[in-house]
């Protein structure tokens, strides 16, 4: 019976990305490719076929975290009243950040959000497009005073940075509801959203 090499390769890649998350969550920021391979339960050669460097593997993990965030945000009903949709997106963001934030906080790009957006980074563009949709609905409903949507998105993602969520949940011991409430009010205040 022939082995499906494509599905094996996909499985190996997912195992490696999951291992990145585990290593980073345990504080193993400077891991090597052999360490990543061992943590994933795959051969070193397999790890190198997928990711030439640990940094490439960390970037793949970061992209997947953003993709999961976007998928969760996309699941929020776009038919909700704009302020309610904004609140639901904020809640969803905190829920997602609690899952991957402890690991992704170690993965930072040397480029800023707007720079990556201008460069056409697919995951950043998708996140920007989703959030501008939420903010545009608020603007059209007269619920915000900020009409520069890219600036508004930049403020939103800055306030909801995974490191902020991590600090508030892990070191301040705030509940997800408290984090959501405080950060949502901070974004609303910064953007003049009537909540």
């Amino acid at each position: 019976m022939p082995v499906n090499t494509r599905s094996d390769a996909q499985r190996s890649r997912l195992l490696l990305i999951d291992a990145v998350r585990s290593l980073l969550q345990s504080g193993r920021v400077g891991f090597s490719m052999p360490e990543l391979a061992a943590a994933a339960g795959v051969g070193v050669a397999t790890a190198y076929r997928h990711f030439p460097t640990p940094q490439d593997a960390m970037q793949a993990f970061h992209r997947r975290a953003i993709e999961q965030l976007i998928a969760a945000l996309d699941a929020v009903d776009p038919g909700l009243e704009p302020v309610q949709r904004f609140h639901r997106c904020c809640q969803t963001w905190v829920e997602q950040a609690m899952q991957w934030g402890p690991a992704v906080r170690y993965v930072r790009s040397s480029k800023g959000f707007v720079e990556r957006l201008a460069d056409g980074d697919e995951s950043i563009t998708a996140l920007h497009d989703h959030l501008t949709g939420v903010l545009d609905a608020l603007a059209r409903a007269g619920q915000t005073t900020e009409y520069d949507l890219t600036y508004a998105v930049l403020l939103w993602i800055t306030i909801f940075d995974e490191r902020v969520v991590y600090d508030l949940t892990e070191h301040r011991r705030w509940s997800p509801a408290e984090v959501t409430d405080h950060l949502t009010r901070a974004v609303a205040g910064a953007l003049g959203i009537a909540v």
Side-chain angles (χ1 to χ4, degrees):
M1 185 182 275
V3 176
N4 186 341
T5 56
R6 182 180 171 119
S7 70
D8 286 347
Q10 289 172 341
R11 187 176 62 76
S12 295
R13 185 177 179 86
L14 290 175
L15 289 170
L16 287 161
I17 292 172
D18 286 341
V20 168
R21 178 182 178 170
S22 297
L23 288 167
L24 292 176
Q25 281 182 324
S26 66
R28 297 278 307 133
V29 179
F31 61 83
S32 67
M33 288 306 291
E35 289 172 309
L36 177 60
V42 302
V44 174
T46 299
Y48 276 112
R49 270 195 300 277
H50 289 284
F51 305 111
T53 68
Q55 291 73 27
D56 293 318
M58 287 191 286
Q59 288 305 315
F61 165 68
H62 190 228
R63 270 190 307 280
R64 187 175 78 173
I66 293 172
E67 290 165 1
Q68 289 173 335
L69 172 61
I70 294 164
L73 291 172
D74 282 345
V76 173
D77 182 2
L80 291 173
E81 183 271 325
V83 172
Q84 186 181 13
R85 182 178 176 206
F86 167 72
H87 278 277
R88 190 74 51 82
C89 286
C90 290
Q91 176 185 1
T92 299
W93 195 319
V94 169
E95 291 166 355
Q96 287 293 308
M98 290 181 68
Q99 293 177 35
W100 44 257
V104 86
R105 67 193 169 102
Y106 293 110
V107 183
R108 305 309 299 171
S109 172
S110 61
K111 295 181 175 183
F113 180 83
V114 175
E115 182 180 6
R116 288 181 286 165
L117 181 64
D119 288 346
D121 180 307
E122 290 181 23
S123 56
I124 295 301
T125 300
L127 180 59
H128 174 269
D129 291 350
H130 180 84
L131 298 179
T132 57
V134 174
L135 293 166
D136 184 54
L138 286 165
R140 283 186 281 108
Q143 297 291 322
T144 180
T145 58
E146 181 55 61
Y147 297 98
D148 181 337
L149 295 181
T150 296
Y151 173 73
V153 167
L154 183 61
L155 283 179
W156 192 352
I157 67 166
T158 299
I159 292 170
F160 273 78
D161 186 288
E162 63 275 354
R163 293 170 296 181
V164 173
V165 174
Y166 174 80
D167 276 342
L168 294 176
T169 56
E170 293 298 316
H171 299 288
R172 294 293 304 269
R173 302 288 184 218
W174 286 7
S175 70
E178 289 174 304
V179 174
T180 299
D181 179 59
H182 281 79
L183 296 184
T184 300
R185 284 190 286 118
V187 173
L191 299 179
I193 298 171
V195 290

